[in-house]
Amino acid sequence: MDALNYNEKKLQQGKAICIAANGYLLPAGKMNFYQKLAGFENLNKRNDRAVTKTLHVSLNFDPSEKLSTEQLNAIAETYMQKIGFGEQPYLVYRHDDAGHPHVHIVSTTIMDDGSRINTHNIGRNQSEKARKEIETDYHLIRAEDQRKHPVNEIKPVDIEKVQYGKSETKRSIVNVLNAVVDKYNYTSLPEFNAILKQFNIMADRGGEDGAMFKKKGLLYRIIKEDAVAVGVPVKASSIYNKPTLQKLEKNFELNQANRGALKLKLKAILDDALKEEPSSIAHLKELLAKRQVFTVIRQNAEGRMYGITFVDNKNKSVFNGSEIGKAYSISHLQVNVLQSIKQPGTTVPSPGNDATANVIKIGPVTKQKQLLSHKDNKTSSLLEQLMSPKQQFENVPFQLMKKKKRKRKKNIND
């Protein structure tokens, strides 16, 4: 039972304490690992069909809340009752290895009669409802308000300080994944990696021809700024809450339903930054960083930009620029820049390989841009096509080309 192993290892390391045991004959402090495990196994063996038999949840509180062991136990008991696990055996662990108070609860989904408690969407339904009610009943700081406190922001892995042993690397990766996997809205592995990149982590499937890729395996690596991996890679399946590709793919699908409102919030942030008329792409990234938006520029092997991705850390979402709107795609931004600064008798810097070196203005489309000559519009349209990552060429085979009918000369004698 991975969840129990995880918490018991924390206990052995002096980073956690088992503060409560529900449904056991002995109190938490009087049991060893095997006695705790037996409480779950006695029920788990009654159902051979169930794939998921373990419930592992984490309840997190604001750093300013100094909760006693009695208060934590009362909150844990109330929570388990509200999500339908009040009669199940469960263990409560208080963890002391983070900057904020939190507890982990481990239980089994198998009941006395061998049936399984349905946990599908339990996080979005029962758990969310229980969390809000508990915040009110126990006068706790709401999770929505906690996001406003900088102390709760995720910190990137410190490349210089991490010792590249397996335990140190895994601990650093797990801390970030706990704050990202089930809390951010992403719909693909590249989007997920855009979020992880700001914390110096990458989810790696390996090469398409490799065995790991074909078997849908996934490794997590610590990376430097230049995307060079360092340290020992960690298998997704070895992490207690299993952030495997299969789990991520389920999140991809679930997150599709909640994109609309998040997209509008990010668009408003981008528009606000663009009003300051940044002088370069690097300047734009700085303005967005002040608004808790991390920007990823995608470049090909030759260094030419072909895409831009925005990670909204305030609202926990990630979008490609083109998904927000055509005006926010990298190609369209650059074309609009050329239009907005082109004046008669001036030289316009062309969008070369190093886009951050070009001193250019990026801002909303103005009426002045609409007064361009027909020739400039044609040039801009051509540039946009050439810089688009989705460019396609339709070549018509010579044999299919229609031949022009040659007019037959009329004979004078006819």
Side-chain angles (χ1 to χ4, degrees), residues 156-280:
V157 175
D158 193 322
I159 300 297
E160 299 301 324
K161 291 182 181 178
V162 169
Q163 300 173 4
Y164 300 125
K166 186 174 181 180
S167 61
E168 291 295 331
T169 298
K170 187 172 183 178
R171 186 178 300 114
S172 301
I173 289 173
V174 168
N175 286 342
V176 172
L177 293 177
N178 283 344
V180 170
V181 174
D182 292 322
K183 294 180 176 63
Y184 275 74
N185 184 293
Y186 49 89
T187 59
S188 67
L189 192 61
E191 287 181 3
F192 181 61
N193 267 326
I195 301 170
L196 295 182
K197 184 178 180 182
Q198 62 187 323
F199 308 119
N200 301 330
I201 291 175
M202 175 182 70
D204 183 17
R205 289 192 63 187
E208 293 186 13
D209 297 330
M212 183 174 73
F213 188 93
K214 292 174 182 176
K215 293 180 180 179
K216 288 201 162 188
L218 193 67
L219 293 176
Y220 288 99
R221 301 178 182 274
I222 292 179
I223 57 172
K224 294 183 179 180
E225 288 184 4
D226 52 5
V228 175
V230 294
V232 182
V234 177
K235 288 184 179 180
S237 58
S238 72
I239 299 173
Y240 77 91
N241 59 351
K242 299 289 187 294
T244 60
L245 183 61
Q246 287 79 359
K247 176 173 181 176
L248 295 179
E249 287 177 338
K250 289 180 181 177
N251 286 355
F252 298 161
E253 187 176 349
L254 289 171
N255 290 338
Q256 290 284 1
N258 305 312
R259 304 279 283 174
L262 293 171
K263 186 191 297 184
L264 291 176
K265 289 179 180 179
L266 178 54
K267 182 179 181 297
I269 295 173
L270 295 175
D271 288 340
D272 186 57
L274 290 170
K275 285 178 184 177
E276 295 192 33
E277 297 186 347
S279 58
S280 66

Side-chain angles (χ1 to χ4, degrees), residues 61-73:
F61 308 92
D62 190 84
S64 64
E65 294 171 321
K66 308 300 180 184
L67 302 169
S68 66
T69 298
E70 290 72 23
Q71 288 173 313
L72 291 173
N73 280 337

